[in-house]
Amino acid sequence: MAEAVVRELRASFTAGRTRPVEWRAAQLTALVRMIEEKEADISAALQADLAKPHMESYLHEISLAKASCKFSLKGMKSWTKPEKVPSAITTFPSTAQIVPEPLGVVLIISAWNYPFLLSIDPVIGAIAAGNAVVLKPSEIAPATSSLFAKLLPEYVDNSCIKVVEGGVDETTDLLEQKWDKIFYTGNGTIGRIVMTAAAKHLTPVALELGGKCPVIVDSDVDLHVAVKRIAVGKWGCNNGQACIAPDYIITTKSFAPELVDSLKRVIKRFYGEDPLQSADLSRIVNSKHFNRLTSLVEDKKVADKIVYGGQTDEKQLKIAPTLLLDVPLDTALMTGEIFGPYLPIVTVEKIEDSIDFINSKTKPLAAYLFTKNKKLQDNFVTNVPAGGMLVNDVALHLTNPHLPFGGVGESGMGSYHGKFSFDCFTHKKAVLIRGFGGEATARYPPYTQEKQKILRGLINGSFIALILALLGFPREKR
Amino acid sequence: MGSLAEERALGYGGLVSDLREVYESGRTKDLEWRQSQLRGLLRLLREKEEEIFDVLCEDLGKHRGESFRDEVGSLAKSVEDKLQNFKKWAAPEKASSLLRLIDSDCSQPAATPLVAFPATAFVMPEPLGVVLIFSCWNLPIGLTLEPLSGALAAGNAVVVKPSELAPSTAAFLAANLPKYLDSKAVKVVEGGPDVGEKLMEHRWDKVLFTGSSRVGRLIMTKAAKHLTPVALELGSKCPCIVDWLDSNRDSQVAVNRIIAAKWGTCAGQACIAIDYVLVEEEFAPILIELFKSTLKRFFTKPEFMARILNKKHFQRLNDLLDDPKVASTVVHGGYFNAKTLSIEPTILLNPPLDSDIMTEEIFGPLLPIITVKKIEDSIKFLKSRPKPLAIYGFTRNEKLKRRIIEETSSGSVTFNDAIVQYGMDSIPFGGVGASGFGQYHGKYSFEMFSHKKAVLKRSFLIEFMFRYPPWDDSKIGLLRHAFRYDYISLFLALLGLRR
């Protein structure tokens, strides 16, 4: 089945359907229309899949998707133009340019937590770059998956953009095909499987994975604002089920009590006394993840560290925002990516120690720091490797289309958003154009001493050597 | 970092963990350090030039003229370019962060959501960490030192594994890199495929591999276990389209350049050497005559052409002419000297398209010429074949040039010359599809071994209440205004909704 899909898309691509900028613009315009006309349906699907509050659906998925489409529509004309670059004296006279071309037929495997955005966003980049696309939405968000399967064919060119639904079997089938690029959003285990499958065909991949995103909170902050931003970045993002949600907090032993108090108050303000009843809190996606999360705090030595929250409702698959303080570092909660509403707080003696702490773990997708202290800010930016980072806020960097979004190390490879999405699915072809003039016989055998001298000068950029070379020195006996 | 114990248990574990320690100490990130390494490379190239010519001659029979042109000279220029520019490349780059309130094309405003306003945004390049470079035997100096210079400019610790098939060069690098560079942060590991395999058992922050597709697959598969990002520079059959050239001078220039790109470049054993030629059937005889006379003029002494690497490759090339259907198409040359491992420049006219010589990368001094009825047919010919590293075209026809650029796909396209694109720092070098992925040379070498970290800074000053729960319809309404860039509402929001 996958083979037939790829064959059809390859035929469409080879026929040149996806190349004209007008075609690409038409697809993106149709996507904008789709998002506008079907906003209610999209929101409903997200509600069904994740109990996602309408506000989150709008703020984090729908509006960002639309903005991404519009940004690409606007930028596409200049992105698709060849870029002139300086030529070298050694190839004088010549002109050089970089011509962007689509890779061909690409596969995009999406995730379940932002099932609309994480599907549409890379698809937008692939279309803008002129590729034919297969989208495989996550089966763990089935309502959104079937929404795509139903809607996309109504709005876009079905001979070049297809949706393939399914689980492990269908995905494996897709991964066995030969693609020109595979874009995967999800976890490291599957990421490895994707890359291994890609290796068979020498297919380049982009992997948007996860990690434990740390938040350093210094005492030199506007605490009232800081905790609001942390809270909305954690529990206001799919209740912690987001790759860039804060995973854990690091602060000083002395500041921790004040921080914990402030966090408690903001959780109450946002979600009320009984968060499980709040309509503004997403649920856990399914029982498998619900059980995974609750087992993280089963162990007494972890449960004992809960300082706020911890309520669960298995029937509704809801877990309340939960704070923990100084959980032992060798527990599962502290070693693996949480991807849920538990927020452990780690304490250190002095705030600078937090940098070493973060660097002792694998590189995260995002790292956050709250402080007014410029020196600490500089230390953080310079010395913490991460996919991306934010000072004095959380998660927002992904909304800026001028910033590349992606991981490094365990958190992934490749980046996208804005023009970076276009680049992700593009091959930058170098084109060098020479004429028949500027013939330098010094290049050719027989390699005499004189020729080598001139060649040496020419390569070293000597203008005189260039003149001599072009004048045909050294003269050869014919 | 619990895998340290595992790393030590595998071969080269000590090497990798030592380098990680060196890297974590921050030594290689320091700009002064990077500068000293690049300067060290330049000194190496200058002071050891004669020795480099010697080892390249030993390993490949390369003439010093060719060695200077293709490996030493262009490399020195490239390292110089990095020395001058690396600080600029390593500096943070500001990204646009404010939404453009007044847009000249008012229909579609740039999309930076209001909730992120105001902010400073920039991209901070940082080294990936500890990287591994696999080099190849045919340009053993260039293919090692060019990526090495990029990795150092970007601030990484590096392991270089030269090809064992060019043993004198490998030994040269092992002896000299520690002398001219920081031996604590730059290591040379010699050995064969088993060494390469052991190295790939470890996690690296990036691996660059130059070589065959077969080994490329193995490298990527092993890299996948650790989510190690890779760049693969693979081989391909680089075609050369030769259009009808009216003037004798043009034809001679074309032939000169094609000869240099085939027999003048490691005897055709180069990933960007011209593999075969496509030409109109009426022009073919003219071209062949020109080839014959020019070859005689150029290669007056055997030392002007490199020899075949070793017996195995010599035999492989010999076997390409085994098939009598192929051998009968030889129109020039064909003499193989097994003792000196040299093959004279050989031209074939229309060998069968399904023969090995037309399906596998030749990587040697055999040049098939394939004729087409009209030159535009060559485009269709190329489209049905795997994407090569380079496509060459000799033509004055602007329409044909445009069609080649737009209708074919390859790592690069060069018109009216060949190989020279390799020495340029302003254009990226790398393959696509079957010829690989990842690009380097010039600034791209720096970027290949860097991570561009996005950084966004906000102040505590301005807060938009509608960002936070509990959410109700009025907040959603406000957000809609914000996303529609309704400036009046924005202004009111700023006034009325602070904290």
Side-chain angles (χ1 to χ4, degrees):
Chain A
M1 195 250 148
E3 204 194 318
V5 168
V6 176
R7 217 176 324 121
E8 187 189 336
L9 287 177
R10 222 164 256 302
S12 303
F13 179 77
T14 312
R17 281 190 77 91
T18 61
R19 307 297 293 256
V21 180
E22 297 75 35
W23 178 89
R24 309 182 202 187
Q27 305 312 304
L28 295 181
T29 308
L31 283 175
V32 174
R33 218 168 21 97
M34 179 184 93
I35 297 170
E36 284 173 349
E37 289 173 8
K38 302 290 177 181
E39 189 184 314
D41 292 336
I42 297 168
S43 221
L46 293 171
Q47 174 71 226
D49 282 333
L50 296 151
K52 201 174 275 216
H54 179 52
M55 185 72 163
E56 266 190 57
S57 296
Y58 180 74
L59 189 53
H60 296 161
E61 298 216 44
I62 294 166
S63 62
L64 287 178
K66 204 157 65 160
S68 176
C69 253
K70 290 185 169 175
F71 188 84
S72 293
L73 267 166
K74 185 151 197 288
M76 216 165 49
K77 216 164 78 181
S78 72
W79 301 344
T80 50
K81 282 208 183 76
E83 180 199 336
K84 267 193 169 275
V85 292
S87 204
I89 196 173
T90 40
T91 53
F92 180 85
S94 62
T95 55
Q97 47 181 245
I98 299 174
V99 176
E101 51 180 40
L103 290 169
V105 180
V106 306
L107 171 64
I108 294 170
I109 302 174
S110 176
W112 56 259
N113 59 339
Y114 286 86
F116 186 75
L117 179 68
L118 296 178
S119 300
I120 280 286
D121 217 347
V123 167
I124 291 168
I127 293 174
N131 300 275
V133 190
V134 167
L135 167 66
K136 213 299 281 164
S138 173
E139 71 280 18
I140 300 177
T144 312
S145 177
S146 42
L147 186 70
F148 273 121
K150 187 168 121 294
L151 283 187
L152 278 186
E154 283 173 28
Y155 285 86
V156 296
D157 183 346
N158 197 39
S159 72
C160 303
I161 303 163
K162 292 201 185 287
V163 178
V164 173
E165 293 191 87
V168 175
D169 290 335
E170 287 77 7
T171 311
T172 308
D173 191 17
L174 285 168
L175 287 173
E176 278 172 11
Q177 310 308 315
K178 177 165 150 44
W179 304 93
D180 295 298
K181 184 132 188 182
I182 300 177
F183 185 100
Y184 168 76
T185 306
N187 66 59
T189 310
I190 308 294
R192 282 168 170 81
I193 294 175
V194 170
M195 189 169 167
T196 307
K200 293 198 183 69
H201 295 286
L202 295 169
T203 298
V205 301
L207 304 174
E208 297 277 326
L209 309 174
K212 291 180 79 65
C213 298
V215 186
I216 304 175
V217 184
D218 189 20
S219 48
D220 181 10
V221 289
D222 195 335
L223 188 56
H224 184 102
V225 177
V227 293
K228 276 200 292 187
R229 294 176 178 180
I230 293 172
V232 81
K234 174 73 166 183
W235 300 291
C237 278
N238 223 14
N239 206 4
Q241 302 165 98
C243 51
I244 36 132
D247 188 279
Y248 65 99
I249 291 180
I250 314 176
T251 191
T252 53
K253 284 190 170 33
S254 48
F255 192 61
E258 207 183 322
L259 177 60
V260 170
D261 266 343
S262 209
L263 280 166
K264 285 182 187 173
R265 266 178 298 175
V266 81
I267 294 173
K268 268 200 209 109
R269 237 180 83 184
F270 284 3
Y271 305 108
E273 288 292 339
D274 187 4
L276 294 177
Q277 300 304 322
S278 167
D280 292 329
L281 207 62
S282 302
R283 67 150 207 270
I284 305 306
V285 69
N286 58 23
S287 43
K288 173 169 154 231
H289 280 277
F290 181 89
N291 292 330
R292 176 186 66 81
L293 283 165
T294 49
S295 66
L296 288 177
V297 298
E298 241 169 23
D299 190 339
K300 192 165 182 303
K301 66 177 184 214
V302 178
D304 277 350
K305 304 293 184 183
I306 296 178
V307 294
Y308 190 79
Q311 310 97 301
T312 64
D313 180 343
E314 193 167 353
K315 218 168 66 185
Q316 305 248 42
L317 291 179
K318 286 209 162 189
I319 300 178
T322 304
L323 301 171
L324 304 95
L325 185 58
D326 285 326
V327 178
L329 296 177
D330 59 353
T331 54
L333 185 77
M334 295 308 295
T335 50
E337 186 177 6
I338 298 171
F339 224 68
Y342 298 119
L343 184 60
I345 299 164
V346 174
T347 56
V348 290
E349 285 301 330
K350 42 188 218 318
I351 200 66
E352 289 78 12
D353 296 342
S354 55
I355 304 233
D356 288 332
F357 185 92
I358 296 174
N359 288 341
S360 70
K361 295 182 175 304
T362 60
K363 300 178 188 178
L365 185 55
Y368 306 109
L369 167 66
F370 284 85
T371 186
K372 289 185 184 156
N373 181 333
K374 278 227 148 277
K375 213 160 144 242
L376 184 60
Q377 288 182 10
D378 287 341
N379 186 359
F380 178 70
V381 170
T382 311
N383 295 316
V384 176
M389 38 175 46
L390 248 117
V391 175
N392 295 330
D393 215 321
V394 164
L396 288 184
H397 60 305
L398 70 86
T399 63
N400 185 332
H402 300 282
L403 286 175
F405 181 82
V408 65
E410 275 292 322
S411 51
M413 53 183 84
S415 58
Y416 72 129
H417 286 189
K419 178 166 194 272
F420 302 99
S421 291
F422 176 89
D423 291 340
C424 185
F425 296 100
T426 291
H427 166 57
K428 293 189 164 168
K429 182 161 79 177
V431 178
L432 180 64
I433 305 178
R434 292 207 69 193
F436 289 93
E439 184 60 342
T441 52
R443 305 162 57 168
Y444 307 118
Y447 301 118
T448 63
Q449 289 273 45
E450 296 77 26
K451 279 189 181 180
Q452 286 178 61
K453 254 201 247 167
I454 289 187
L455 208 57
R456 189 177 285 269
L458 181 62
I459 289 177
N460 285 330
S462 154
F463 194 56
I464 304 217
L466 169 66
I467 304 284
L468 286 175
L470 293 182
L471 286 176
F473 281 86
R475 304 283 194 204
E476 278 187 319
K477 288 198 260 299
R478 288 283 172 95
Chain B
M1 303 283 275
S3 64
L4 228 76
E6 288 167 21
E7 281 191 353
R8 283 189 195 277
L10 302 160
Y12 299 102
L15 170 79
V16 179
S17 52
D18 285 347
L19 275 175
R20 268 202 200 288
E21 247 179 82
V22 168
Y23 177 73
E24 303 289 333
S25 75
R27 188 196 188 96
T28 61
K29 280 181 87 170
D30 179 43
L31 293 178
E32 297 296 320
W33 182 89
R34 304 188 207 186
Q35 187 172 65
S36 71
Q37 299 311 291
L38 292 172
R39 287 206 176 120
L41 271 177
L42 276 179
R43 267 199 343 267
L44 168 75
L45 290 170
R46 244 197 336 263
E47 292 173 14
K48 295 289 179 178
E49 195 184 86
E50 284 303 317
E51 219 179 301
I52 292 176
F53 290 154
D54 286 341
V55 297
L56 288 174
C57 192
E58 263 171 58
D59 281 337
L60 296 153
K62 259 193 216 193
H63 189 277
R64 53 194 291 138
E66 193 188 320
S67 293
F68 179 78
R69 189 192 68 208
D70 295 347
E71 299 212 55
V72 178
S74 52
L75 192 55
K77 190 165 73 72
S78 163
V79 176
E80 186 67 63
D81 174 66
K82 290 189 183 65
L83 202 51
Q84 287 187 15
N85 291 304
F86 81 96
K87 283 195 183 136
K88 193 175 62 177
W89 299 337
E93 188 188 324
K94 260 199 152 234
S96 169
S97 64
L98 287 183
L99 53 85
R100 296 196 346 247
L101 294 182
I102 309 296
D103 201 43
S104 52
D105 175 18
C106 274
S107 52
Q108 311 274 6
T112 304
L114 180 61
V115 285
F117 172 87
T120 335
F122 56 94
V123 173
M124 175 103 180
E126 44 182 40
L128 288 169
V130 180
V131 305
L132 173 61
I133 296 172
F134 284 99
S135 174
C136 192
W137 54 262
N138 59 339
L139 276 113
I141 294 284
L143 294 175
T144 310
L145 299 186
E146 169 58 43
L148 175 60
S149 67
L152 293 172
N156 298 275
V158 192
V159 170
V160 148
K161 191 191 122 16
S163 171
E164 74 284 10
L165 297 174
S168 303
T169 312
F172 167 84
L173 289 169
N176 286 284
L177 285 185
K179 286 200 202 122
Y180 286 84
L181 303 176
D182 183 349
S183 60
K184 283 203 164 52
V186 182
K187 307 268 185 204
V188 180
V189 174
E190 293 180 85
D194 55 321
V195 168
E197 246 188 272
K198 286 206 189 89
L199 286 170
M200 284 309 295
E201 290 298 321
H202 299 278
R203 184 184 76 77
W204 300 90
D205 293 297
K206 183 114 186 197
V207 173
L208 167 64
F209 171 79
T210 305
S212 74
S213 312
R214 185 188 64 84
V215 181
R217 281 189 184 86
L218 294 172
I219 299 273
M220 188 170 171
T221 306
K222 278 196 177 291
K225 293 198 180 71
H226 295 286
L227 291 174
T228 292
V230 303
L232 303 176
E233 299 279 327
L234 309 175
S236 63
K237 289 180 79 64
C238 297
C240 180
I241 298 173
V242 183
D243 192 9
W244 192 284
L245 297 168
D246 280 322
S247 94
N248 287 341
R249 195 184 165 275
D250 282 359
S251 312
Q252 183 63 66
V253 169
V255 163
N256 290 348
R257 294 175 179 180
I258 294 172
I259 290 179
K262 178 68 163 183
W263 297 287
T265 306
C266 209
Q269 302 165 100
C271 51
I272 40 163
I274 292 176
D275 189 279
Y276 64 100
V277 163
L278 286 157
V279 67
E280 272 180 23
E281 28 188 44
E282 301 210 350
F283 194 54
I286 304 173
L287 202 60
I288 292 172
E289 281 315 303
L290 264 176
F291 272 129
K292 289 184 182 176
S293 59
T294 316
L295 280 167
K296 211 159 116 192
R297 245 185 319 117
F298 280 8
F299 296 105
T300 51
K301 293 197 205 130
E303 72 208 45
F304 289 143
M305 194 165 96
R307 63 150 210 274
I308 304 308
L309 174 76
N310 56 23
K311 280 202 182 65
K312 179 169 151 223
H313 280 277
F314 184 88
Q315 194 55 49
R316 178 185 64 79
L317 288 162
N318 205 339
D319 292 346
L320 288 178
L321 299 187
D322 251 353
D323 185 346
K325 281 203 285 269
V326 175
S328 59
T329 66
V330 173
V331 295
H332 179 82
Y335 176 64
F336 285 66
N337 186 333
K339 237 185 16 217
T340 57
L341 288 182
S342 47
I343 302 174
E344 68 168 323
T346 301
I347 302 176
L348 303 91
L349 180 60
N350 285 322
L353 293 178
D354 58 355
S355 57
D356 286 344
I357 203 173
M358 281 313 294
T359 51
E360 289 171 14
E361 186 179 13
I362 296 172
F363 228 67
L366 316 175
L367 180 72
I369 295 180
I370 305 295
T371 59
V372 290
K373 282 222 143 31
K374 43 188 217 327
I375 200 62
E376 286 78 10
D377 295 343
S378 54
I379 294 181
K380 197 157 142 229
F381 186 94
L382 293 187
K383 276 172 81 156
S384 64
R385 286 172 167 71
K387 300 178 188 183
L389 193 49
I391 290 179
Y392 300 109
F394 284 83
T395 178
R396 280 190 181 269
N397 183 335
E398 294 303 319
K399 192 151 168 261
L400 181 64
K401 282 184 200 164
R402 210 165 31 243
R403 275 196 69 190
I404 293 174
I405 294 174
E406 288 172 11
E407 296 181 38
T408 65
S409 181
S410 55
S412 66
V413 178
T414 301
F415 288 112
N416 302 328
D417 210 331
I419 309 282
V420 288
Q421 76 275 18
Y422 179 82
M424 286 181 64
D425 288 319
S426 55
I427 47 176
F429 179 86
V432 67
S435 47
F437 52 84
Q439 298 177 314
Y440 69 126
H441 284 195
K443 180 172 188 214
Y444 300 94
S445 289
F446 176 93
E447 293 184 349
M448 176 180 264
F449 297 101
S450 294
H451 167 60
K452 290 193 159 171
K453 183 168 73 180
V455 182
L456 192 68
K457 283 190 178 186
R458 294 206 64 202
S459 76
F460 290 104
L461 207 52
I462 297 190
E463 268 292 88
F464 293 116
M465 211 189 83
F466 49 74
R467 212 182 136 185
Y468 306 113
W471 285 311
D472 54 37
D473 288 336
S474 66
K475 282 190 180 176
I476 295 176
L478 276 168
L479 259 169
R480 275 188 206 280
H481 290 312
F483 280 105
R484 266 194 234 116
Y485 302 100
D486 188 331
Y487 308 138
I488 308 289
S489 303
L490 159 59
F491 188 56
L492 289 176
L494 275 170
L495 280 183
L497 297 176
R498 190 187 180 296
R499 278 261 206 123

